[in-house]
Amino acid sequence: MSDPNDRLPPLNALRAFEAAARRLSFTQAADELNVTPGAISQQIRQLEDYAGTPLFKRTGRSVLLTDAAQASLPLVREAFERIAEAGRIMQAPARKGRVMVSCAPSFAAKWLAPKLDGFHRTHEGVEAWISADMGLTDFTMADADFAIRYGRGSYEGLKSEKLLDETVLPVCSPALLEGPDAIRRPEDLRHHTLLHDESGENDPSCPDWTSWLRARGVEGVDGARGPRFNQAILVIESAAAGRGVALAKQAIAAADLASGRLVAPFADGSTLIDFGYWLVWPKGRHLSPDVRDFMKWVKAEAAKGEIVGV
């Protein structure tokens, strides 16, 4: 006979608790779970009644975790991860022949998507699905098999494997290498518009135009002037259209450099930065043979060649 004290807590209330505890906000938890803040409050009260103790300290518009909540939160997260993984194993036959990878829109459009035909030619019967998202993948909720993240590679609860390093280099349309103001050396940039990448994918080691020019001893060029874009792909497209010179990430510019839409005007213009691209997936996740094949293929693609200046 089961002990009544061992009864399971209500699952929906646990989900509300995990989201609210992670975000320290009932309102943000409600947005994430597509319910009202009142519903989150009700589910939290239900869980507190079950626990017999408060789980949150209400302080105006914000909330803080009690000791009981802080102690139980890691176990709740692990439980949801295990439940999600159990569901994936149940769905394995239906998922056969499909690989879902999540990554940032700029990386998906400019690096991964142009290469997918090569994967499909060599892996008939397997479809690669790309989920482009600026936010970090929540593997307890997302359908992604793994993600490609831009960062330093340390992610709590996730395994990570380096895919490729990243460098930053000036790129422009080939048309800017011709005419009376042709770009031959960095000092020639004074005659051209500088394009700035202000996307959230930058890291502290990533140079802006001012620091790039300073590192090369270039004088007479105002590195602060020029339009700014909040998406790396917009910077690339503006440069390819001849609207100026972009300080771009190599991986994002690679396809356009290979096709000739863009050129790298300076042979020594590259700067290695701290962040890179990483394959990440939850610890303990079972990776199907199709997913492992895709990972092996994408690592082989990343190992091919480097872009150098003209």
Side-chain angles (χ1 to χ4, degrees):
M1 187 174 180
S2 62
D3 187 337
N5 293 323
D6 290 337
R7 62 188 176 90
L8 292 174
L11 187 59
N12 286 339
L14 279 178
R15 172 61 80 187
F17 164 72
E18 191 279 332
R22 173 164 34 86
R23 295 178 174 273
L24 292 179
S25 168
F26 286 12
T27 300
Q28 292 181 25
D31 290 341
E32 178 181 316
L33 300 179
N34 294 316
V35 298
T36 65
I40 294 292
S41 296
Q42 183 178 2
Q43 289 171 341
I44 295 300
R45 284 196 298 270
Q46 183 182 7
L47 192 59
E48 289 177 331
D49 288 342
Y50 166 87
T53 186
L55 298 174
F56 292 92
K57 301 173 185 176
R58 281 74 169 177
T59 58
R61 294 185 177 182
S62 62
V63 294
L64 299 174
L65 301 182
T66 64
D67 290 343
Q70 289 179 337
S72 60
L73 180 58
L75 296 176
V76 172
R77 286 177 174 168
E78 181 181 356
F80 277 120
E81 289 170 0
R82 289 180 175 273
I83 291 172
E85 185 61 19
R88 292 179 61 82
I89 293 173
M90 292 176 187
Q91 296 171 346
R95 295 175 66 91
K96 184 174 176 58
R98 189 189 81 185
V99 176
M100 173 75 82
V101 56
S102 172
C103 58
S106 54
F107 187 84
K110 287 297 186 180
W111 193 91
L112 187 55
K115 304 176 187 295
L116 284 181
D117 284 347
F119 173 78
H120 290 136
R121 282 195 299 269
T122 56
H123 297 79
E124 293 184 5
V126 180
E127 293 183 350
W129 293 12
I130 309 301
S131 176
D133 192 344
M134 287 300 296
L136 296 180
T137 304
D138 180 355
F139 285 101
T140 64
M141 302 181 68
D143 196 31
D145 293 298
F146 70 98
I148 300 175
R149 285 188 180 174
Y150 179 68
R152 289 193 172 95
S154 178
Y155 305 103
E156 184 179 357
L158 301 179
K159 296 184 69 172
S160 61
E161 185 174 344
K162 188 70 166 286
L163 179 62
L164 75 163
D165 292 318
E166 184 59 288
T167 59
V168 171
L169 74 167
V171 298
C172 63
S173 165
L176 299 191
L177 304 186
E178 304 172 354
D181 293 327
I183 299 174
R184 295 285 183 265
R185 56 200 183 103
E187 286 76 8
D188 296 329
L189 292 172
R190 67 170 58 92
H191 303 298
H192 298 273
T193 300
L194 301 183
L195 307 174
H196 301 262
D197 181 356
E198 298 279 327
S199 67
E201 300 168 24
N202 287 332
D203 72 277
S205 73
C206 187
D208 56 15
W209 270 117
T210 298
S211 60
W212 186 92
L213 292 164
R214 184 188 308 118
R216 287 157 180 79
V218 179
E219 298 181 355
V221 179
D222 182 2
R225 63 181 169 82
R228 285 160 168 75
F229 302 86
N230 67 351
Q231 292 277 347
I233 192 172
L234 299 177
V235 182
I236 296 297
E237 289 304 311
S238 293
R243 297 192 178 97
V245 185
L247 196 56
K249 297 181 181 68
Q250 176 180 306
I252 308 303
D256 291 303
L257 287 163
S259 69
R261 289 185 76 220
L262 290 175
V263 293
F266 311 119
D268 62 346
S270 298
T271 301
L272 181 67
I273 58 180
D274 291 344
F275 279 23
Y277 298 93
W278 297 79
L279 305 179
V280 299
W281 64 97
K283 292 178 180 178
R285 167 160 293 184
H286 170 73
L287 300 177
S288 71
D290 291 336
V291 173
R292 291 185 181 276
D293 284 347
F294 189 88
M295 286 183 166
K296 182 178 180 181
W297 169 82
V298 80
K299 286 188 287 186
E301 290 295 314
K304 292 180 180 177
E306 294 184 355
I307 301 297
V308 297
V310 296

